Amino acid sequence: EAQVTQNPRYLITVTGKKLTVTCSQNMNHEYMSWYRQDPGLGLRQIYYSMNVEVTDKGDVPEGYKVSRKEKRNFPLILESPSPNQTSLYFCASSFKGQGIYTQYFGPGTRLTVL
Amino acid sequence: AQKITQTQPGMFVQEKEAVTLDCTYDTSDQSYGLFWYKQPSSGEMIFLIYQGSYDEQNATEGRYSLNFQKARKSANLVISASQLGDSAMYFCAMREGMFSGGYNKLIFGAGTRLAVHP
């Protein structure tokens, strides 16, 4: 089954404790992104990757890191989480299908930073 | 400036009736794409429908159709024959043109919460 997976689905942590949210897709998509969802703001892009070893900042990159060492994986790293990073996080992947670039989303990771 | 505006924070509709969810967008690109996603209470983002800026006909997918009015920069989602399972948050999103770096990013509106009543 074609899908984007994220782990963990739920995470409660404390300020300053480094964490990684994993993302993996099995569709051989070139493009991958991370978004965060906050009430009243919709989803906002954190980082994106156009291919292996190619990443760039989105609209809200502060406090986050990413890497793309393999095509299928795109982990999101919070080196020193803070309470304002409490949010619902989505990983997404896409490809140039008919020029549409539809993004397919993972199930989401709900992060709480105390 | 907001690039995607969804002016209806919440809507309700009677089961089996049609409902229109509003979306206006702002871009200077000639080539762009418009998407609608559904987010049920379980939280996942489900792709519903896509409209390209050069598409001459309005997109349709089953009970979903997109009322695309390019000159007015609107891309309203129409759900016909609403079902209880349509109760969810709905997001309008835009992908801008390649030279805006847009094909890697969707710009989302704030969403409209739809409640379908029996």
Side-chain angles (χ1 to χ4, degrees), chain A residues 31 33 35 37 40 42-43 45 48 50 59 90 99-103 105, chain B residues 35 37 39 42-45 47 50 91 95 103-106 108-110:
Chain A
Y31 309 114
S33 292
Y35 293 83
Q37 181 183 359
L43 281 75
Q45 191 185 52
Y48 66 90
M50 295 171 61
D59 294 323
F90 287 99
I100 294 176
Y101 300 97
T102 301
Q103 297 213 8
F105 287 82
Chain B
F35 300 77
Y37 283 83
Q39 186 179 44
S42 52
E44 72 267 33
M45 295 290 287
F47 166 66
Y50 167 83
F91 290 98
R95 172 191 55 74
Y103 54 88
N104 288 298
K105 176 170 73 175
L106 290 177
F108 283 82

Side-chain angles (χ1 to χ4, degrees), chain A residues 67-84:
Chain A
S67 68
R68 187 99 180 267
K69 293 183 169 51
E70 305 166 282
K71 196 172 186 178
R72 62 184 293 130
N73 295 324
F74 190 44
L76 179 70
I77 303 156
L78 285 72
E79 294 270 2
S80 182
S82 63
N84 64 12

Side-chain angles (χ1 to χ4, degrees), chain B residues 24-109:
Chain B
T24 58
Y25 60 92
D26 183 25
T27 182
S28 56
D29 285 348
Q30 297 301 309
S31 175
Y32 53 90
L34 296 156
F35 300 77
W36 278 91
Y37 283 83
K38 172 184 178 182
Q39 186 179 44
S41 58
S42 52
E44 72 267 33
M45 295 290 287
I46 302 168
F47 166 66
L48 294 178
I49 196 166
Y50 167 83
Q51 179 85 41
S53 58
Y54 292 122
D55 295 341
E56 294 186 350
Q57 295 200 342
N58 288 342
T60 61
E61 288 287 349
R63 295 186 298 110
Y64 304 107
S65 60
L66 201 152
N67 184 1
F68 181 46
Q69 299 187 43
K70 195 170 182 176
R72 297 180 61 184
K73 293 189 173 179
S74 76
N76 299 339
L77 177 71
V78 180
I79 305 175
S80 63
S82 298
Q83 301 172 356
L84 295 178
D86 294 334
S87 294
M89 182 75 92
Y90 288 82
F91 290 98
C92 179
M94 175 174 65
R95 172 191 55 74
E96 293 185 288
M98 185 175 72
F99 296 106
S100 301
Y103 54 88
N104 288 298
K105 176 170 73 175
L106 290 177
I107 302 165
F108 283 82

Side-chain angles (χ1 to χ4, degrees), chain A residues 46-114:
Chain A
I46 303 170
Y47 268 94
Y48 66 90
S49 169
M50 295 171 61
N51 216 322
V52 176
E53 302 291 1
V54 181
T55 64
D56 207 346
K57 297 177 180 178
D59 294 323
V60 288
E62 293 77 22
Y64 304 95
K65 285 175 57 177
V66 293
S67 68
R68 187 99 180 267
K69 293 183 169 51
E70 305 166 282
K71 196 172 186 178
R72 62 184 293 130
N73 295 324
F74 190 44
L76 179 70
I77 303 156
L78 285 72
E79 294 270 2
S80 182
S82 63
N84 64 12
Q85 292 179 297
T86 293
S87 190
L88 178 59
Y89 290 87
F90 287 99
C91 179
S93 71
S94 63
F95 73 107
K96 186 184 175 183
Q98 300 177 325
I100 294 176
Y101 300 97
T102 301
Q103 297 213 8
Y104 296 91
F105 287 82
T109 294
R110 190 168 292 281
L111 172 66
T112 302
V113 183
L114 302 175

